[in-house]
Amino acid sequence: MSSTDGERMRRWRLVLGGEAEDEIGTTLSAEDRSVDAAMAALYDATPGEPGSQRASGLGSSAPRVARWLGDIRKYFPSTVVQVMQRDAVERLGITRMLMEPELLGAVEPDVHLVSTLLALNEVMPEETKQTARDVVGRVVALLEARLAERTRAAVTGALDRAGRTGRPRHSDIDWDRTIRANLKHYSPALGTIVPDRLVGYARRNHSVQRDIVLAIDQSGSMAESVVYASLFGAVLGSIRTLRTSLVVFDTAVVDLTDQLEDPVDVLFGTQLGGGTDINRALAYCEELVTKPAETVMVLISDLYEGGVREEMLRRARTLVESGVQLIALLALSDSGTPSYDAENAAALADLGVPTFACTPDLFPDLMAAAIRHEDITGWAATNLSGSN
């Protein structure tokens, strides 16, 4: 047997498990048997059923779970580790893996793990909560490194362009853009550009230029969106020329604006699960609007309304007619096409509310476009696949 054939049979043996060893005729090395054992502990168990199979898997003891977490991190890349951790929770129901500090510290953190921790927050032992916050903080730091600076740059750039004027004071002239705008007026005789117009900014100050209201559906199906939206809320809240409000809701409404300085506090202020009352959330957010024409309101929800649908649509129409730029995001995540209420999405679109799902990487550009008062439906059609 060639080395290529041997590697192929080895892989098949790992995929098919120990029962196929005699049929395949391949004997695993000691290290491969450790890899096989780590996979068998998870995937040879019967999902959701107690008994001998489950007892031989990850549920037997906390030390065994801890060793298993260490093993999979040793043998598999982080992307695979994250998948296996999620599969462990779903297949074996071992929420205990996330309930004990010594186990939690061994987990590879990602957005899905954060969602799980937030869902368990109310039943988590006190001695575990600080460890959970540390894990959430690690994920938030990674997401901030990826998204925060892009968001600030896109949003502040849009605010600057919105304030640009053709009659700036000398101290407010944007010389770079002025030169580029007047290149055709170069005078060979004078050896310089004779500007036809000046490009600059309106008088610079730190007054609020836009109001941003984020209304986040915290029902269980929106878990990943809650994580990303909370982070973006904290980033937007750090921009002094924005007045940012962050509201989370299920059947009740909670205003977390006063916690925006710390995205971890925001996340632990949410409570995943429960029903959905979009109408009540919009009613609360409507009270936050003081300058409709300068307000961008982003409703992040799958639109499965548990409240009064007709009232929800009436409030949305009122907000749009008042001049508020209302946008409905069916999801703010990387998880592909979301499940959502297509009837409500179509009804909001008919009212002039752009309705689509957005990835976290494109959210900064979306907010910049909204601040510039661009056609958001057109922006979505150009920048997003599968927009609604």
Side-chain angles (χ1 to χ4, degrees), residues 95-340:
T95 55
R96 184 170 48 79
M97 181 177 77
L98 305 176
M99 299 289 287
E100 299 183 17
E102 67 273 17
L103 302 182
L104 201 54
V107 171
E108 187 79 20
D110 69 348
V111 170
H112 301 282
L113 174 58
V114 170
S115 302
T116 303
L117 292 176
L118 297 180
L120 295 172
N121 184 35
E122 292 299 314
V123 296
M124 194 178 295
E126 285 300 319
E127 63 270 20
T128 305
K129 288 188 176 182
Q130 185 55 53
T131 311
R133 286 184 65 89
D134 292 342
V135 172
V136 172
R138 287 158 61 192
V139 176
V140 167
L142 291 171
L143 294 178
E144 282 186 320
R146 168 186 158 196
L147 299 169
E149 193 53 44
R150 275 196 58 226
T151 303
R152 292 189 188 96
V155 169
T156 55
L159 290 167
D160 286 344
R161 285 190 290 274
R164 194 169 300 144
T165 176
R167 299 181 62 185
R169 298 183 179 191
H170 185 272
S171 61
D172 292 332
I173 295 174
D174 185 328
W175 290 108
D176 181 64
R177 288 190 174 89
T178 295
I179 291 170
R180 282 188 283 156
N182 290 278
L183 287 175
K184 62 182 178 181
H185 300 300
Y186 177 76
S187 170
L190 297 176
T192 188
I193 291 173
V194 180
D196 180 65
R197 66 186 181 91
L198 300 176
V199 179
Y201 303 100
R203 185 176 180 181
R204 291 190 175 115
N205 56 59
H206 297 299
S207 62
V208 172
Q209 299 181 44
R210 293 287 189 280
D211 288 347
I212 306 294
V213 180
L214 300 181
I216 308 170
D217 180 348
Q218 61 178 351
S219 57
S221 60
M222 298 295 294
E224 188 177 347
S225 298
V226 169
V227 175
Y228 282 114
S230 298
L231 172 65
F232 281 120
V235 174
L236 294 171
S238 70
I239 300 174
R240 288 181 293 178
T241 48
L242 296 178
R243 180 184 292 112
T244 301
S245 301
L246 189 143
V247 175
V248 297
F249 67 93
D250 39 40
T251 54
V253 179
V254 179
D255 192 327
L256 297 178
T257 303
D258 61 351
Q259 299 180 39
L260 280 178
E261 289 186 2
D262 187 342
V264 176
D265 284 345
V266 172
L267 285 169
F268 277 95
T270 65
Q271 180 57 60
L272 295 173
T276 309
D277 192 337
I278 303 171
N279 174 51
R280 176 174 291 186
L282 289 180
Y284 180 86
C285 292
E286 189 175 15
E287 295 177 0
L288 301 177
V289 177
T290 58
K291 299 180 293 183
E294 302 301 328
T295 299
V296 178
M297 185 180 298
V298 184
L299 171 66
I300 303 170
S301 173
D302 55 17
L303 301 181
Y304 287 108
E305 172 66 312
V308 183
R309 178 179 186 268
E310 293 74 18
E311 281 297 299
M312 182 265 287
L313 295 175
R314 183 190 66 77
R315 290 191 190 280
R317 179 187 296 108
T318 298
L319 286 165
V320 172
E321 291 177 348
S322 73
V324 170
Q325 193 163 18
L326 177 60
I327 301 167
L329 295 186
L330 305 170
L332 181 58
S333 75
D334 291 310
S335 296
T337 303
S339 171
Y340 62 93

